[in-house]
């Protein structure tokens, strides 16, 4: 699959992080199909847009990234979620992995790490 064909949904309650991540993803060559500001909106956008990958912040009001990951996987067991976090493998990050997230992207975002995480997720290598 070509990079431009990989459809990504960004979920973060902070617009700044959504904008930064969108810019990084698009510079790498991925297609950002949508954004959401919380977990509930993420579910709506996922249903409508059917992205290949969801990059989800862990800490959001209303519905956090852990609960939203569980709900996405209940909706689509094949959903691929990467959790965005500013902290190294704390209990919440581990809870997101336990909920079914496929990996962690650390903030601040590093383009090479984002590319490698997405490549591994898509290829299994």
């Amino acid at each position: 699959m070509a990079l431009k064909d990989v459809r990504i949904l960004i979920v973060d309650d902070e617009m700044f992080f959504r904008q930064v991540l969108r810019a990084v993803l698009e510079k790498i060559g991925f297609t950002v199909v949508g954004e959401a500001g919380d977990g509930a909106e993420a579910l709506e956008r996922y249903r409508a847009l059917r992205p290949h990958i969801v990059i989800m912040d862990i800490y959001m009001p209303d519905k956090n990234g852990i609960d939203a990951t569980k709900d996405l996987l209940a909706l689509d067991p094949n959903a691929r979620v990467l959790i965005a976090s500013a902290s190294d493998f704390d209990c919440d990050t581990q809870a997101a992995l336990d909920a079914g997230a496929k990996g962690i992207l650390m903030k601040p975002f590093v383009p090479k790490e984002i590319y490698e995480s997405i490549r591994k997720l898509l290829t299994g290598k």
Side-chain angles (χ1 to χ4, degrees), residues 4 6-7 12-13 20 23 30 38 41 45-47 50 54-55 76-78 80 83 85 89 94-95 98 106 108 117:
K4 67 179 177 51
V6 179
R7 300 162 38 86
D12 198 306
D13 59 316
V20 167
F30 295 112
D38 63 44
E41 187 180 0
R45 296 268 193 262
Y46 186 87
R47 282 187 194 101
R50 291 297 176 172
V54 177
I55 299 178
D76 178 1
N78 297 314
R80 297 178 182 128
I83 290 291
S85 178
F89 295 101
Q94 186 59 51
D98 292 344
M106 298 305 299
S117 294

Side-chain angles (χ1 to χ4, degrees), residues 62-100:
D62 301 322
K63 184 183 288 276
N64 66 38
I66 297 167
D67 292 338
T69 297
K70 290 177 187 174
D71 291 347
L72 271 178
L73 289 167
L75 174 69
D76 178 1
N78 297 314
R80 297 178 182 128
V81 179
L82 292 172
I83 290 291
S85 178
S87 61
D88 269 334
F89 295 101
D90 62 10
C91 62
D92 288 334
T93 306
Q94 186 59 51
L97 292 170
D98 292 344

Side-chain angles (χ1 to χ4, degrees), residues 8-36 53-57 82-85 104-115 117-118:
I8 299 175
L9 173 64
I10 299 171
V11 184
D12 198 306
D13 59 316
E14 295 186 43
M15 183 174 286
F16 170 77
F17 282 112
R18 292 195 312 264
Q19 291 172 335
V20 167
L21 186 53
R22 177 185 279 272
V24 169
L25 290 166
E26 290 177 345
K27 186 173 183 179
I28 292 170
F30 295 112
T31 299
V32 176
V33 293
E35 298 179 12
I53 295 173
V54 177
I55 299 178
M56 176 121 41
D57 185 29
L82 292 172
I83 290 291
S85 178
I104 308 296
L105 294 177
M106 298 305 299
K107 294 177 181 178
F109 299 115
V110 177
K112 183 177 180 178
E113 291 173 9
I114 291 171
Y115 170 77
S117 294
I118 292 171

